[in-house]
Amino acid sequence: MNIFENKYLRKISIVIVLSTLFLLIMSFNSNSAFAKQYRVAIIPFKINAEKDMTFLKDGVFDMLSSRLSSGENVEVIGREETEKVVKTVEGMLINEGKAREIGTGLEADFILFGSLTIFGESISIDSKMVDVAGNRETIAFFNQTDGIGELISKINNFAGEINEKVFSRVMVSKEASAKQTQPVQIENIYAHPEKLAEEFGEFEHADKKSDPNPSFIVTPHKKSSREFWKSRNFRELINGIALGDVDCDGKIETVIITPDSVHIYRFENNRLLEIMKIDENKYKIFIGVDVADINNNGYPEIFVTSLNPQRNVINSIVFEYDGKNYNRIVDSCAWYYRVLELPGRGSTLFGQKQKTGGPDTFSSEIFEMVWSNNEYVSKRKVLSANCANLMGFALGDAMNTGGETVIAYDKSDHIRIVNHSGRVLWKGNDHHGGSTHYFKMPSFEPGSDNRQYYPMRLSITDIDLDGKYEVIGVKNHELTGRLLKRLRKFKEAQIESLSWNGLGFAVNWKTAKISGYIRDFAIGDFDNDGKNEIIAAVISKSGSIIGTRPKSSIISYDLMSRNMDNKTDLKKK
């Protein structure tokens, strides 16, 4: 083969290579041009707030729409078209099933829906991206911000996650926000009534004691950011809450009771995850829960105080984990149970037994209980009859004298100091507590409802580790007043700290008022960060009206401010 033939063959080879590359490029462009066109419907987010937040709903919709729409392959369906179809299911809770129904009507491939819950300056985001056909796993997003500025970056992150996981696109703003974006500073956020984080209410401060976390307590000279955590909404009535490592895995679990079931949750990734539902019983009404290892076998028991459906007989249950299952070690027991933390003694069980005539245990004694012969039995009497109901009873050094003091509510929710023989040593003038749990006593009038209300939980603890004990309780503010004894409705609630000043219990601090009422609270390391928190079950809607559903949530306050960490470390040493 001569030199001219070699040159000719080389030219032919180059032409073939270039032609192949051209065909590949055209094929790629053709595939891009005819790529799948996704239709996405965004349902305007539900806003849970006390104020009109229409501007926020509109802003979130516009932000998500602009970040998800793409001229290449994503079309965001117009808001008017989406809302027109959504109205066909108006008044119904939007869940994944309803979202797919709406998506089918819109001929959409994906539906994005969610909610924003606003407590003070804290905003919780809870949203889902649902594949209408059900071929892809739903993308759920939950986060919490400390204001509108942070909300923008969180929405950016969520949109970026959708673009990456669903549409295989990476948003530049997602990477930039992680490195450069700073929270937007909103000037004069309280200037307009529609702005987001308007005050829930004022805190009160009445003492010179060390303050717990200033995120929810303020002095007269300084306002705080009121940061705290809130769970998603539960469409059930939470009747009680307790903390404890019930499965001995080294982590604290949150035990929640509804009227007929027990749920175990763990705080992970800034949210509550249910790890077990251990019982459902239509023949009991659960009204109280506590956790402690009283039988000393290494596994804490779950004490559930309960009533029969008629609310006139106590039939409590105790559960315990055996490494595989939660078993009933006590059932249908005629005792109220309450666990208290006592200095130098730790978790201690107390009981109060029903007597003939009904569950009005103001008429029976309170005992310290121990485990013996496979049952809980009374060890010693700590309070005589006709003094208190165990559900609103606490024992400890409430007066900081070095001895044990009994404090308890009376039937009108006044806090009292009572000696062991039942003599009232002091009684407060103000109403505290306030529970909607009730039992029924026999009525002498046919058809009448003789309901009697239980008192609220009390706790004696050194909450700020200053060596002084405080009484922690709840104050639910009643809408109906105290005149309607048989009907209670609360409009707002606070957690408060009281200390003995020599003349009576004075208020150290109160949290801000929140809408609804507090059903129960607990103190412990809720989020497993090594520090204690106060957690409370908040009831927004009781569901007592026909056609309505209950709505509950869990809120958590950090107890210790950062400037108290050194004090904590010194006490540990």
Side-chain angles (χ1 to χ4, degrees), residues 410 413-417 424 426-432 505:
D410 65 11
D413 291 328
H414 294 97
I415 294 177
R416 301 165 300 154
I417 298 176
V424 177
W426 176 88
K427 178 180 176 180
N429 295 321
D430 296 331
H431 295 288
H432 297 267
F505 282 110

Side-chain angles (χ1 to χ4, degrees), residues 205 207-213 217 463-466 470 497 508-509 559-561 563-564 567:
H205 193 278
D207 205 330
K208 295 182 179 181
K209 291 174 65 63
S210 300
D211 296 332
N213 185 358
I217 301 299
I463 202 166
D464 50 12
L465 301 181
D466 67 345
E470 305 169 44
S497 164
N508 299 315
W509 50 258
L559 289 181
M560 307 302 294
S561 61
N563 61 11
M564 295 176 66
K567 184 190 294 186

Side-chain angles (χ1 to χ4, degrees), residues 481-495:
R482 299 276 166 168
L483 296 177
L484 300 177
K485 296 295 185 180
R486 296 179 183 176
L487 177 63
R488 282 189 173 184
K489 187 174 179 60
F490 298 101
K491 59 180 180 178
E492 54 194 10
Q494 295 172 286
I495 298 173

